Amino acid sequence: MSVEIRMARGLRVHLDVPERVEVEGVTAREAIDALIEIHPPLRRFVLDDAARLRQHVNIYINDELINDRKQLSDCVSEGDTLYILPAVSGGAVNEMGSEQERI
Amino acid sequence: MNEAGLLVSTRKGLLIGTSSAGRTRWDWSGLHFEGWMVDYSVRDPRTGTIWCAANHFQWGARLHRSDDGGETWREAGTPEFTDGETSLEGIWTIQPGAVDGVLYAGVMPGALFVSEDDGESWRLLESLSSHPYSEHWMPGAAGLMFHHVGIDPEDPSRIIVGGSATGVFASYDGGASWETRNAGIRSDHMPPEMQEFAPCVHSLFAHPKQRGRLWQQGHFGQYRSDDDGETWVEVGQDLPGEFGFASAIDPEKPDTCFFVPMNSDQARMPRGGALAVYRTQDAGASWTKLSSGLPQSGFHQVVYRQALAQDGADPLGLYMGSSGGELYSSNDAGEQWDLILDHLAPITAVRAWRLDGRLEA
């Protein structure tokens, strides 16, 4: 299946990657793996050490948030668009947290 | 005339300072890594490389290096867990080793990594993470991490580490095996019969000129050890608070240590809102309050565990950053302080070195 992956501006300001990349895959995992093969530095931005989706990163397939954040087993279909987006929740923890976060 | 270099890590990026006019004027570069929380940055005295542990709440933790004093950066290898479950949450310290190319990384969740190729790849020191006492380790307010690492400059196989809340561990075989070094450290967060299992260490330094001499600011008290942590002596009874985070040593004077006491672990700010550094020059027998130039009222901030630094010069330069983004410096071992930067994001760490004319190697 050919799918398009779109990467948010919030990601692209940190990393020299294009906004849109075409990859092949039948699951979100296969699509993300194919993307990382093209742009290896993306791996640590999107996935944690256990290859799960990072806590404050979301992946949508068209207008549906994926269900399986661990295995990324959600299926994709020909012509789907897969969005990699930073979650707004992450900022809240960081900005509002007190020094308790550091000590 | 002494000059110094300075790394100021903040929750919004890194500033690099160089002094002139005898550490009275500062030129700054940065903000490097804008928007990233810099957990820690340090200069490797062997190579001049600046290491920067940057962390983004969405995109994760990374280790970067600069070999030209901060002009350019590139991503180094980042410590990584491989058990399929644990994931790196932050790099709290990078400690250059005593052997060329060797570096240590203390990370959250509580683990220690070693690199033998100057930061290109990292190996988990599994024997520490799996120590039998690890079942008692517990995360503090900031999480569970090792944040201070000391390497014996004469014998690289001797390593000492401190963490929250893990206590102190020593290795005499390069990290293959570990022994606890907690006898005498109070752990008021644990039942009496469990005092030695997981004390909460806030900062820890091994003195490079006197083997066995350690200084520690703990969650519950300030301590000195003369036997590599086999026993600890509480030395802060006359200080205005047993609680605190930051400490610093004078690398030439084993009997000198600096602490920044806070009033308690419940309020976590200097007593009476008056910021002061306390110095001992007699191994903790007596203390001198050093507050000239520091705010003496209304200071409701904290100094984080890695936010007090010394530059190794004589007289010693001291640098202290606050959670309110204020940076103070002293050219005379703390006798007089000056505010040299403010309005920064919370300062997570400060590290300094004596300049010999250049930032890079």
Side-chain angles (χ1 to χ4, degrees), chain B residues 192-266:
Chain B
E193 61 272 19
M194 298 181 70
Q195 291 289 292
E196 71 175 290
F197 288 119
C200 190
V201 177
H202 285 178
S203 55
L204 172 73
F205 290 100
H207 203 281
K209 293 289 174 66
Q210 181 176 324
R211 176 173 283 183
R213 167 62 57 84
L214 307 177
W215 290 99
Q216 179 198 160
Q217 171 68 64
H219 193 112
F220 301 102
Q222 295 85 7
Y223 300 88
R224 188 197 78 235
S225 174
D226 298 327
D227 53 13
D228 234 8
E230 290 273 4
T231 58
W232 290 93
V233 178
E234 193 163 359
V235 295
Q237 290 88 344
D238 293 333
L239 296 177
E242 65 177 16
F243 188 82
F245 291 100
S247 60
I249 59 171
D250 183 330
E252 298 298 326
K253 300 172 182 172
D255 287 345
T256 295
C257 189
F258 303 85
F259 291 106
V260 190
M262 301 285 133
N263 54 3
S264 73
D265 70 344
Q266 299 302 301

Side-chain angles (χ1 to χ4, degrees), chain A residues 10-11 14 41 43-46 48-50 52 54-57 84-103, chain B residues 11-12 34 36-39 56-62 75 78-81 84-88 92 140-142 245 268 302 304-306 323 348:
Chain A
L11 174 57
H14 300 297
R43 180 177 67 88
R44 293 198 63 89
F45 276 76
V46 178
D48 69 11
D49 293 2
R52 299 167 296 215
R54 284 197 177 279
Q55 182 182 4
H56 298 296
V57 177
I84 301 175
L85 302 171
V88 291
S89 58
V93 172
N94 192 268
E95 296 302 329
M96 296 172 65
S98 68
E99 70 271 11
Q100 303 278 329
E101 279 187 37
R102 282 295 303 177
I103 59 184
Chain B
R11 285 178 62 156
K12 293 296 182 186
E34 182 178 311
W36 290 66
M37 180 162 80
V38 176
D39 285 321
H56 196 282
F57 56 90
Q58 288 160 331
W59 310 119
R62 305 284 189 287
E75 191 171 326
T78 293
E80 196 165 344
F81 291 91
E85 184 60 37
T86 315
S87 191
L88 181 73
W92 278 69
F245 291 100
R268 304 184 178 213
V302 69
Y304 294 137
R305 72 183 77 234
Q306 293 159 320
S323 61
T348 51

Side-chain angles (χ1 to χ4, degrees), chain B residues 10-26:
Chain B
T10 83
R11 285 178 62 156
K12 293 296 182 186
L14 173 70
L15 289 162
I16 303 176
T18 53
S19 77
S20 58
R23 298 180 291 186
T24 62
R25 295 196 197 114
W26 292 88

Side-chain angles (χ1 to χ4, degrees), chain A residues 14 45, chain B residues 33 36 40-42 49-55 60-66 73-78 91 94:
Chain A
H14 300 297
F45 276 76
Chain B
F33 306 100
W36 290 66
Y40 190 72
S41 187
V42 69
T49 297
I50 296 175
W51 297 96
C52 179
N55 203 342
R62 305 284 189 287
L63 182 63
H64 302 266
R65 66 181 294 161
S66 175
W73 296 89
R74 73 173 175 86
E75 191 171 326
T78 293
I91 302 167
I94 295 291

Side-chain angles (χ1 to χ4, degrees), chain B residues 262-317:
Chain B
M262 301 285 133
N263 54 3
S264 73
D265 70 344
Q266 299 302 301
R268 304 184 178 213
M269 59 184 184
R271 186 174 299 278
L275 179 61
V277 175
Y278 284 77
R279 178 185 66 205
T280 181
Q281 295 174 301
D282 53 14
S286 64
W287 297 91
T288 302
K289 180 182 179 181
L290 305 168
S291 61
S292 180
L294 297 175
Q296 292 306 289
S297 65
F299 186 87
H300 300 161
Q301 305 176 37
V302 69
V303 176
Y304 294 137
R305 72 183 77 234
Q306 293 159 320
L308 181 66
Q310 50 79 20
D311 62 14
D314 184 16
L316 194 68

Side-chain angles (χ1 to χ4, degrees), chain A residues 55-78:
Chain A
Q55 182 182 4
H56 298 296
V57 177
N58 287 326
I59 292 178
Y60 283 79
I61 300 172
N62 303 319
D63 58 355
E64 292 277 340
L65 190 62
I66 64 167
N67 290 313
D68 183 0
R69 298 179 63 89
K70 289 185 178 177
Q71 303 298 331
L72 311 187
S73 61
D74 299 60
C75 293
V76 295
S77 302
E78 180 73 23

